[in-house]
Structures are given as C-alpha cells and as structure tokens.
Amino acid sequence: MDGRPPRRLRIEVLGPLRAWRGETPLDLGPAKRQAVLAALLLRHGAVVSHERLLDGVWGADPPATGHKVLASHVNPLRRALDAAGTRPAESVILSGKGWYRCAADHIRLDVADLAERGDEALRTKASGDLPGAADQLSAALALFQGEPLANLPGPFAQAERQRLLERRRTLRLARLECLVLLGRFADALDDLACLPESDRYDESLMALRMRALYSCERQAEALNAYEDLRVRLRDELGVDPGEELSRIHDAVLRRDNAYLLGPAAGPATAPDRSRLRPAVNQLPGDTGQLVGREDELALLTASCEPDSVSVVAVDGPAGVGKTALVVRAAQHIRDRYPDGCLFVDLHAHSTARQKLSPQRVLRRLLRSIGADDREVPNDLDELMTQWRTTTSSLRLLLVLDDALGTRQVQPLLPAGPGSSVIVASRQRLPALDADRRVSLDTLGTGDATRLIRHIVGRERTDQEPEATGELVRMCDGLPLALRIAGTRLQTRPAWTLAYLVERMTGDAHRLGELSAGDRSVEAAFRLSYEQLSPTQQQGFRTLGLAPTVEFDLRTPAAMLGWSPQDAELVLESLVDTSLLQQPRPGRYRMHDLVRVHARRLAETAPAETGAARRASLRLYLDAGRIASVWGSGAFPNGPQPAGAPFTQWRDATLWLDSAGAELVDVVGHAAAFGEADYACWIAEALTGHFLGRRRFHECQTALEIALTQADRATDRRMDLSLRNALGLTLMHRARFPEALTCLNQALALSREREDGREEARALVGLGAMAGLGTAGPSTDRGRQGASWLASGLALAQQCDDHWLAAMASFALGLVHHAQGRDEEALACFRAAFVPSMILGHPRAINRALTSTLDLYLYLDRPGTQTLLRQVADLIQQTGDVPLYTLTLTRLGTAEHSAGNLSAAAAAYQHALVQHRTLAPRDDPDHDRNEMDIRCRLGRSYYAAGRITDARDQFRTALAVPGAARYPKEHAQAVDGLSRSETLEQ
C-alpha cells in the first residue's frame, strides 16, 4: 500500500444493494451473496453466529453444505470490499470460531444517514419549525432509491425491508403534515399522487389528502375520496373508517377551516398593527458550523407555553459558543413570533464597547418595535412601564447576549403572552426565573475533531490523525480555541498540524498561539477574570496551582490558608461565573485552558505561588503518611503530620481514594516545579496506599518519577527508601529480576551509609523473594531467604519499625510453611500480631490474621470458617479488596470442607464479584486467581449435584485468557469439566 489511509467504503441499501470505494463501484456478486452482506451490515457491528446467518438468508431451507457455504460467499465479499493489501485482521468482514462480524466503523451506510437526518427532521418538526422540518424531511426521503434491499432473498432481508418501508412511511407522513400546515397544498397533492398502491388503505394519508383537496377548493373531490375509501374498507376488510378520518369528513362538510387547515387558515381577526412598523428581525447572520449541540438546540427550540412569557438561560465559560448556539436557536424558531425578533449584545465582557445600561437598551428596544423616539421617556421605571405596555399585545422573541447579571436582564423582559426571551451569559443567573436552563460545556473529542475537520479540511486532518488528536486535546474542546487554531491553519497552508502543535507545547506558548486577529482565548478569559472581586481573583489564581485537575475543598483551603467554609463560598461563586466546574457534589475542576490562564496569572505573584504550591503538596504528604499501613515510625525525616484535616487513617485513605489516578500526577507536579523533597516524600508515603489497593503500576510510576529527583533532595535518605519501595513494588508485579537489582542496590548503599532501617527493608525484600523461590534457581535459597528475613526482623525491631517487623515475621512464616515446618510457621504468624497491634492499622492486623487462618485451613483446624467470616467482615471495612477476595475464597474452601456447600458457593460467588473490580494490569496473578476461584466454585456445585452449573464454571475457567499458562488450575478445570460432562451423559 502507498501509506495513505484507504478510502472509506460507501454502501447503499435504501434501494438495490450497491457499494463504492471512493468513486469506484464494487461488484457484490449474486443476490444470495448480497443477502449475506446485508445480514452482516444491518446488525451494525454485532457478532453474528453461523446459525443466525444461515437462518437469516436461507430461512427454513438451509444448504446441505451448512457453514461451508457461508465461506463461499464471505471470501468473495472480502475480495470485493477490502482494499488491496488488507490484512485479515483489518478486513471489513471479521470472523472467529463460529461467527462473522462487519466492521461498521469502516463503512458509511446510507441507513445511518437516514437515521441521523430523519431523527433531526422529526425533532425540528416537534420544535415547531415547519419550513425547516419540511426541507429536512425531503432530504431524508431523497436517500431512498426505490424499494430497500430490492430483490434480496431471505427472512432477514424481508424483515429489514418492511422496517425501512415503515420508516419511509413515517417520514413521508410527517412531511405531508408539514406541507399542509404550511399551506403548501399543491405540493402535498403532488406527493400524494405518487404514493404506491399499498398505501390506498392508509387513513392518515387519506386525511391529509382530504385537507389538501379542500384547501384547493376541491371539496367535492375530498368527499368522493372519503367515500371511495369507506366503500373499499367495508367491502374488502369489513370495517368503517376510523374516528379521526370521520372527523375530517365532517369538517369538510361543515367547511370548518380552523380544524382542517390549522395555522394555514390564518387568524380570525388580524390585530391592529397600524401604529407599528413591519415585524423586525435583528438576529445576526447564522455563520459557521454548529457542532455537537444537538441536545441543547432541541431544548432551546422546544415549544413554549402560549399564555406566558418564556425565559431560557444559557450559561458557560468564555469561548464555549453561547452566542452561536442562541443565534442558531433563534433562527430556527423566528417564524413563531409574528411581531419580530430582537437581539441585544449587552457587552458585559467587552473592552472595546461600553456596557449597556437597562435604560439605553429599553430605548433601543422600543424604537425597534415602532415607538416614536420623542415619546420614549428617560426614567427607568417609566421606560419599563412603557415597554411592558407596548409589548403586552405582541409575540416577540428577544435574545440578550453577554448579560452580566439578573438586574441587567429583569427590566428588559417583554409582557406579551407567547413571547420568549433567550439570555446568554458567562454567569449563572440563579435569581432569574427561567423556564429552562442550558449550561454549555466544552465539546467532546469526537465533536471537537469534527469542527477542526470542517475548518481545516478533511484532507489535511486525515493526513495527520495523531497531530489532529493532539491539537484537539490542547484546545480542550473549547470552540473558540478550535476555531482560532483552525483559522491559523487555514491562513497558513504551509503549516502542518504537527507544526502548530509543536508551537503550542508548554503553558507559555499555548495561549499565545490561540490568537487570530481580534480574537484571543486569553483575552476572553481575562475579561471574565477582571469581573471578579479581589478575593475571587486570589482564589482563581491559586486554583491554577492545584496539583490535580479535580479537587475538593481541602486542597484550596490549605493552599489559601482559609477555613473550608470560606473556601467553599469562593469556589461556589467561581462555579457561578463558569470559571470553575463542579462535576459532582463537593468536587471541583477547571478546564485545561482556564487552568493554564490561572497559572499564568499566579506567576505574577511568585511569593504567593510558592507558599500555595507547598501547602498543597504538604496536604498530600500528610494524607499519605497518616493513611500508610507502615505507621508514623517508618517516616523519620521530613515534616510530620500536624494540623492536617484528617482525624485518622480512614479519613486520609478515603481522601486519597477520591483523587483516583491523579495521585501519580501529584508526584509529577512536585518534580516539575522543583520541589524535589516533596516529590520523594510523597512517593514514599503513597507506596503503602498504592500497594494496599494493588495499584502497582501507578506505584511504580510515582517511585520512578521521585527517583529522578532523589539527587536533588536535601533528605539524603530518599534514594535508599525509594529503591527499597520500588523493589517491593516490582516484586508485587512479579518482575523479580528488576526487583532483585533494586533491593541489592539498596542493601549495598544502606550498609555503606550504616542505615539500619533501610538495610532491614532490603533484607526483608530479598529474603521474601529468595525464601519463596522467586529470586532464581538455587538449592539453598530457602535457607538463605530465612536467614535474610531473620536478620531483617532483628534490625526492624531495633529501629522500632513495627510494620517491617510484622512483614518480616509474616514472610518468614510463609517460608517455613513452604518448607513443611507448619508449627514454626504458625509461631511466626502469631508473632506478627504483636507489631501489628502496636501499629493499630486494621490492614496490618488483618494480614497477620488471614495468614494464620490460611494455615489453620491447611491444617484442618476446627472452627476455621467461623474465624474466617469474622475476619472477612473486618477486612471489608478497610477497603482492602484483594485481601477481602482472598479471604472469601478461603472461607468458601472452609465451608466446603465442613460440608456447607451452599455457603461455600455463596462465598465463592462473592469472591468473583470482588475479583472483577480489580485491575488486571496491576495483578500478575489476576487470571490465575479467577481460574482458581471458578474451579473451587465448580467443585462445590459438583458436590451439591448442580452438574450444569459446575460444567459452566469449569468451561469459563478454561476460557480465561492465557488459561494454559497456569498448569495447576488448567488441569483442575479440565478434570472438573470431564467429570461433569460424563455425569451429565
């Protein structure tokens, strides 16, 4: 292939089945082969089994050759549809054992266009925009090129044909209704004359035909058409016309124009507008493509109550496209307002033009609807009275753009029932009585990409898909930023998208590049900032320094030195200005470009910036150390938690959990801004939290970032501690050679520096790997491991490192158990209780308890299941999902051994539920553990006589990805499946 992306396939089914690649038509073969293609295409990417495909194309008379005949059709279809050089995995038609699937993403299908255009047209009709709906419905119906799937055999094609014909009938009926309501009766009759014979019993179509005939002064023909249908229905079907058609017939007899013609009949008496000018339309031109606002547009254009003034408020940050949306909405609904459409830009955020007072706006509005300038008063109250009086008999649409607040808007509301007001503002206007509110957010990735493609051109964007995606990300979905970036590329054809992306890299350049002519993202943000009070401005600047994108009240309160109550007041006020978002209660975030602007503002106050940044990092450090299972004694250096807003480890743990994947970013934030000590301290403190949550990959990333800062840190202990923590993390990830390297380095350095605490950590890690057979082949590795663990335990006790002492005892017990020395193992597990109880952290205590009970289970000690149930409840409260899953599994085994098969199955099922919440990439034994639990559950089902359930579990275990990599569990599943299938037979 020549390296260019293949041209997309275009396939039509709304008529004879046809396909093109670019402008080249493709040969799809005979009708039966086309039916196979249709049965795949119209399932929209779903997997289709051979049996369903055969049933859909051949029905009750499948070919004798069965599945082989499918390949004889699919293979030629692939040759026809796939571009030259396409690999099987990239084919338009994918396949697997017993199935085929059509890769819908590679195909432009006319039924998808029909669904999109048809739905949009029906929404437009529902909104009251009849002219627009009629045009859109015509465009949708034009997609039909005859009978859908014409001449294709098989039950599936027939069912789809009927579905699509019914869709065509719905759209055709909707268009005819629009034509009649608009008074375009001749057009409606032309369309009705072309209807197929199959529609001659359709009473809905007959009702429209009678209304159109009547409106063209063909009353007799309307009555004759009704009579003909009535006779056909009576003679051929034995029924009478329905209630609606009968009402139309009566209305034709009575010449009831209002009922038959609706709006097309016109008002009974026209209002006296002799003192008014002709209806004015001040709406700006509707330029540019509006992308991704379909739901908001539908809300803005929905019908309003006819007996009151409707107010709709639209808010959103600078540059999000509020004006474009309200203008488009106003253009859609302007025909509903016979007395005019008025538009006023209130200039709340403008440096070039003066903000408009209510008096000035009211005078302009009164002049717009025909008031004599000499009769317009100057006093605000008198102006409001005259405005309400003048508009009380009018139906107006008033659009107020860039409003500052409710006080500016309230005097401008008209009084005429049926009038509507659309207000756009960067501020949320809670004091405004609005019927509907629309809060605009930035565009999603798909819509933002569509907008860039529209501005720059598909050819350029498709040549640089990665650069296009990065440009969209840098613009953060903000329409203003996307349009400016697109304009720069439009006016500089020599620039590639990658070149613009390179120019925008870094905070210092991104906002600078998003400027074109008098449009600038930063200028738009600055105008919003200048409207804030000094306290709000300080809060806004400081929030740009937050180490995470999303945060709660604790972070800004710590950074600003304010109480949580004061911080919340400022944050909520910034939400109302659209400079801050609240994705869920108690959580806040800034859009990326807004955050860049806030950081640039903060850089102008370096003293304020440094203190705020260190305060935020200190908060994460305190939380990490308070939450850590290692205990406070494990962190001898750096600031100790004092005055932190966390009363105990549980509060700190929940707060860290709320940060999600952004915890790693905190370490990166500290490193990026030269806070080397904090980067190292936080990574060290978070290690226990990450490992307890089995977030091994994130833990490794944080530690590796911190290690790059260790040489710059004033705390010289950090490189040792971080190497030990990284070795422990790599060991959990089963990356033993790398773990061994880290721990050996830490051991050598700690002995060189005579650091007993870090030497103990290295010895315990090395001892665990060697003793448990993970450090490489060696005949005496168990003995060596036990020796290292004993030495590490002694050093940990000397340093009063209770967590390390507990872990050393725990690991030594596992080594003894592996050697068959179970009583010594039990003694070690019991010994782990002492330092665990001193730590007082449930996670340490639970680890010691479960290790002991695991050995109890192995030794078949009585009462083990009762103890396991109690421990499982304790572990669930700590949120340690991996340990909870393991304990539930052991509980199931204990219940099974005791003969409680229902209780065993329940424990295993619960363990599977918990296991599914764990991330596979952070657990090297994830798949093996699933197989183990399913095999145990299968054996319990088998013992209880639930053979079918047992078989399903063994089959599912064997279907786990890479099941053959685990010989023990694989053999158990194979054996269980064999026995269950034999018994079923």
Side-chain angles (χ1 to χ4, degrees):
M1 299 178 69
D2 59 6
R4 292 178 297 177
R7 286 172 292 179
R8 196 177 185 189
L9 282 172
R10 178 165 54 93
I11 300 181
E12 293 179 353
V13 300
L14 300 174
L17 186 61
R18 295 182 294 183
W20 294 264
R21 181 176 296 283
E23 301 300 320
T24 305
L26 306 177
D27 182 6
L28 299 179
K32 192 74 76 174
R33 185 172 301 159
Q34 293 182 31
V36 171
L37 176 59
L40 291 170
L41 277 173
L42 296 180
R43 286 192 169 96
H44 308 291
V47 169
V48 186
S49 68
H50 290 171
E51 288 74 17
R52 289 184 68 194
L53 202 50
L54 288 167
D55 290 343
V57 177
W58 281 270
D61 188 24
T65 51
H67 302 168
K68 293 181 180 178
V69 75
L70 291 176
S72 71
H73 289 298
V74 169
N75 291 334
L77 285 171
R78 284 172 169 160
R79 288 193 294 271
L81 297 172
D82 292 341
T86 300
R87 293 177 294 181
E90 298 170 348
S91 176
V92 170
I93 302 179
L94 303 172
S95 61
K97 187 174 182 180
W99 58 266
Y100 289 102
R101 180 173 74 84
C102 204
D105 291 342
H106 298 167
I107 299 169
R108 178 184 166 192
L109 200 57
D110 60 351
V111 288
D113 293 341
L114 177 69
E116 181 179 345
R117 294 186 190 181
D119 290 346
E120 181 182 6
L122 293 175
R123 285 195 298 269
T124 302
K125 179 175 180 289
S127 74
D129 181 7
L130 298 179
D135 292 341
Q136 292 171 351
L137 288 162
S138 297
L141 287 166
L143 293 170
F144 285 90
Q145 302 297 315
E147 184 182 64
L149 301 170
N151 302 318
L152 291 196
F156 180 86
Q158 180 59 26
E160 285 298 299
R161 188 179 297 115
Q162 292 304 315
R163 181 183 68 82
L164 292 170
L165 287 172
E166 182 59 27
R167 178 65 167 171
R168 182 170 68 177
R169 177 192 173 277
T170 299
L171 297 177
R172 179 176 280 163
L173 186 62
R175 181 177 181 274
L176 287 167
E177 287 175 347
C178 289
L179 295 178
V180 170
L181 292 172
L182 289 168
R184 294 169 54 185
F185 307 112
D187 291 342
L189 288 173
D190 287 344
D191 277 13
L192 286 163
C194 301
L195 292 178
E197 184 67 12
S198 58
D199 287 334
R200 64 194 185 114
Y201 297 104
D202 193 315
E203 293 188 31
S204 298
L205 292 172
M206 178 56 73
L208 289 168
R209 184 164 182 257
M210 289 177 67
R211 291 168 66 182
L213 287 169
Y214 173 83
S215 68
C216 294
E217 300 182 353
R218 295 161 65 180
Q219 181 189 25
E221 286 187 51
L223 294 173
N224 289 337
Y226 172 85
E227 185 61 18
D228 288 344
L229 179 61
R230 187 189 68 79
V231 170
R232 284 200 305 273
L233 290 173
R234 183 197 63 196
D235 293 347
E236 299 178 25
L237 302 179
V239 297
D240 292 322
E243 183 178 348
E244 174 61 22
L245 190 60
S246 297
R247 282 200 295 266
I248 294 289
H249 176 254
D250 291 341
V252 172
L253 288 171
R254 297 193 314 271
R255 295 182 175 273
D256 188 344
N257 290 357
Y259 182 84
L260 290 169
L261 308 183
T269 58
D272 180 14
R273 293 194 175 90
S274 59
R275 296 181 65 247
L276 301 180
R277 297 178 183 177
V280 64
N281 179 11
Q282 296 178 343
L283 295 176
D286 187 6
T287 60
Q289 185 180 39
L290 189 68
V291 173
R293 302 300 192 197
E294 290 82 5
D295 292 342
E296 293 87 348
L297 188 62
L299 191 62
L300 291 178
T301 57
S303 298
C304 302
E305 292 294 330
D307 55 353
S308 63
V309 177
S310 172
V311 179
V312 181
V314 180
D315 63 80
V320 81
K322 299 181 293 297
T323 301
L325 176 64
V326 299
V327 169
R328 177 66 58 87
Q331 294 284 12
H332 275 210
I333 61 176
R334 68 187 184 197
D335 290 340
R336 303 179 198 170
Y337 303 95
D339 299 302
C341 301
L342 309 177
F343 180 91
V344 182
D345 185 347
L346 296 173
H347 303 308
H349 301 87
S350 174
T351 56
R353 306 183 69 177
Q354 184 179 4
K355 298 174 180 61
L356 299 180
S357 65
Q359 293 97 316
R360 185 176 174 186
V361 176
L362 283 170
R363 282 195 290 269
R364 178 189 296 180
L365 290 172
L366 284 165
R367 287 196 299 269
S368 296
I369 59 173
D372 191 328
D373 218 10
R374 293 167 295 181
E375 299 176 2
V376 175
N378 291 319
D379 180 75
L380 177 59
D381 288 338
E382 292 180 3
L383 279 166
M384 291 170 58
T385 300
Q386 182 169 345
W387 171 244
R388 287 194 294 265
T389 302
T390 306
T391 59
S392 61
S393 62
L394 304 180
R395 282 175 57 198
L396 294 168
L397 173 62
L398 173 60
V399 179
L400 301 173
D401 191 28
D402 197 16
L404 184 60
T406 304
R407 289 184 180 180
Q408 190 183 27
V409 171
Q410 199 73 47
L412 311 180
L413 302 181
S419 294
S420 291
V421 182
I422 304 177
V423 184
S425 174
R426 297 187 191 183
Q427 309 272 346
R428 292 184 177 175
L429 305 174
L432 182 66
D433 291 330
D435 300 282
R436 296 189 293 275
R437 295 183 186 273
V438 175
S439 290
L440 283 189
D441 202 350
T442 53
L443 298 174
T445 302
D447 289 329
T449 304
R450 283 172 53 204
L451 181 55
I452 279 289
R453 281 179 174 165
H454 171 73
I455 299 170
V456 180
R458 180 175 293 274
E459 183 177 353
R460 290 176 74 181
T461 56
D462 287 355
Q463 285 176 353
E464 299 182 83
E466 292 182 5
T468 300
E470 183 61 14
L471 182 61
V472 165
R473 186 195 67 77
M474 285 183 154
C475 291
D476 198 29
L478 189 71
L480 176 61
L482 292 162
R483 290 190 179 279
I484 291 174
T487 299
R488 288 174 69 78
L489 290 166
Q490 270 185 339
T491 57
R492 292 163 177 80
W495 283 17
T496 63
L497 277 81
Y499 177 69
L500 179 57
V501 166
E502 183 181 354
R503 290 175 63 97
M504 291 174 62
T505 302
D507 289 357
H509 301 99
R510 193 184 316 186
L511 290 178
E513 289 296 324
L514 292 175
S515 174
D518 59 355
R519 293 196 301 178
S520 166
V521 171
E522 188 164 26
F525 291 160
R526 190 183 305 114
L527 290 170
S528 293
Y529 175 76
E530 289 172 354
Q531 297 286 347
L532 304 178
S533 69
T535 301
Q536 289 175 313
Q537 289 181 345
Q538 183 188 0
F540 176 74
R541 292 193 305 269
T542 304
L543 292 176
L545 305 173
T548 58
V549 173
E550 190 175 301
F551 45 84
D552 70 349
L553 286 174
R554 288 187 178 95
T555 301
M559 296 171 73
L560 291 159
W562 296 347
S563 69
Q565 294 77 16
D566 290 341
E568 183 176 28
L569 287 174
V570 172
L571 265 61
E572 288 294 327
S573 70
L574 290 174
V575 170
D576 287 337
T577 65
S578 300
L579 288 170
L580 192 64
Q581 292 178 290
Q582 192 172 42
R584 55 186 185 276
R587 302 290 295 179
Y588 302 88
R589 72 185 304 274
M590 279 180 166
H591 281 302
D592 192 26
L593 289 173
V594 176
R595 190 166 61 254
V596 171
H597 179 58
R599 281 200 295 264
R600 286 166 66 94
L601 291 170
E603 289 169 2
T604 62
E608 175 184 285
T609 298
R613 180 174 287 120
R614 282 187 291 275
S616 71
L617 296 174
R618 173 67 183 275
L619 185 66
Y620 281 91
L621 176 61
D622 288 350
R625 289 185 169 183
I626 292 171
S628 178
V629 69
W630 293 1
S632 58
F635 308 106
N637 299 62
Q640 299 303 312
F646 311 106
T647 57
Q648 55 173 329
W649 71 269
R650 190 185 304 276
D651 294 334
T653 298
L654 291 174
W655 188 75
L656 292 173
D657 282 339
S658 69
E662 289 195 83
L663 276 180
V664 176
D665 296 335
V666 177
V667 180
H669 181 83
F673 289 97
E675 300 288 349
D677 280 313
Y678 274 105
C680 296
W681 289 332
I682 294 171
E684 177 195 42
L686 292 177
T687 298
H689 177 79
F690 279 136
L691 296 184
R693 292 290 191 259
R694 297 186 78 82
R695 292 162 62 179
F696 304 141
H697 183 271
E698 293 170 74
C699 189
Q700 180 181 342
T701 301
L703 290 167
E704 288 174 343
I705 292 171
L707 269 170
T708 66
Q709 304 296 307
D711 290 342
R712 301 185 183 91
T714 59
D715 187 348
R716 304 313 302 164
R717 182 183 63 86
M718 281 295 96
D719 62 337
L720 286 176
S721 176
L722 295 173
R723 288 182 196 280
N724 272 323
L726 182 57
L728 180 64
T729 303
L730 291 167
M731 185 169 63
H732 277 85
R733 295 196 71 191
R735 296 171 64 170
F736 301 117
E738 297 167 69
L740 192 62
T741 299
C742 277
L743 293 171
N744 276 323
Q745 289 173 345
L747 181 62
L749 286 170
S750 61
R751 286 174 172 170
E752 179 183 321
R753 299 180 191 177
E754 298 182 352
D755 188 325
R757 185 187 304 274
E758 297 306 327
E759 181 182 356
R761 289 186 179 181
L763 284 170
V764 172
L766 289 168
M769 283 201 296
L772 298 175
T774 59
S778 174
T779 55
D780 61 348
R781 62 173 175 250
R783 186 166 57 254
Q784 178 65 72
S787 174
W788 279 336
L789 286 168
S791 299
L793 175 58
L795 282 171
Q797 290 169 337
Q798 290 175 20
C799 299
D800 289 331
D801 191 329
H802 303 299
W803 172 81
L804 189 59
M807 292 303 102
S809 297
F810 163 67
L812 193 55
L814 291 177
V815 172
H816 288 327
H817 175 54
Q819 295 171 338
R821 298 154 61 185
D822 292 328
E823 290 305 321
E824 294 175 67
L826 273 177
C828 288
F829 293 151
R830 288 167 180 157
F833 274 111
V834 177
S836 298
M837 293 300 292
I838 294 173
L839 283 170
H841 198 299
R843 196 173 292 155
I845 298 169
N846 290 337
R847 176 63 69 180
L849 281 170
T850 52
S851 300
T852 302
L853 292 177
D854 203 19
L855 194 51
Y856 275 12
L857 182 60
Y858 176 77
L859 297 173
D860 198 21
R861 295 286 177 91
T864 302
Q865 67 266 34
T866 302
L867 293 171
L868 280 167
R869 275 196 296 271
Q870 295 171 350
V871 173
D873 291 340
L874 291 172
I875 296 171
Q876 186 180 21
Q877 296 173 22
T878 70
D880 190 338
V881 177
L883 189 58
Y884 184 45
T885 304
L886 175 65
T887 305
L888 288 171
T889 305
R890 298 299 177 256
L891 174 59
T893 303
E895 297 285 14
H896 185 112
S897 298
N900 303 324
L901 299 178
S902 295
Y908 291 137
Q909 289 165 352
H910 196 182
L912 281 172
V913 171
Q914 296 300 312
H915 181 270
R916 281 195 287 269
T917 67
L918 299 172
R921 78 169 183 179
D922 280 337
D923 185 0
D925 291 327
H926 186 273
D927 295 335
R928 184 186 66 78
N929 289 338
E930 181 181 349
M931 292 181 69
D932 175 63
I933 298 170
R934 290 195 182 279
C935 285
R936 291 172 187 264
L937 177 57
R939 289 194 290 271
S940 291
Y941 281 152
Y942 184 89
R946 297 170 60 178
I947 307 304
T948 301
D949 292 335
R951 182 201 62 202
D952 291 344
Q953 289 302 320
F954 293 128
R955 281 183 175 172
T956 305
L958 290 171
V960 167
R965 296 199 306 267
Y966 311 108
K968 176 184 173 184
E969 289 74 17
H970 189 272
Q972 291 175 347
V974 169
D975 178 65
L977 182 61
S978 175
R979 286 189 291 124
S980 59
E981 287 180 338
T982 300
L983 195 60
E984 269 194 328
Q985 293 171 359

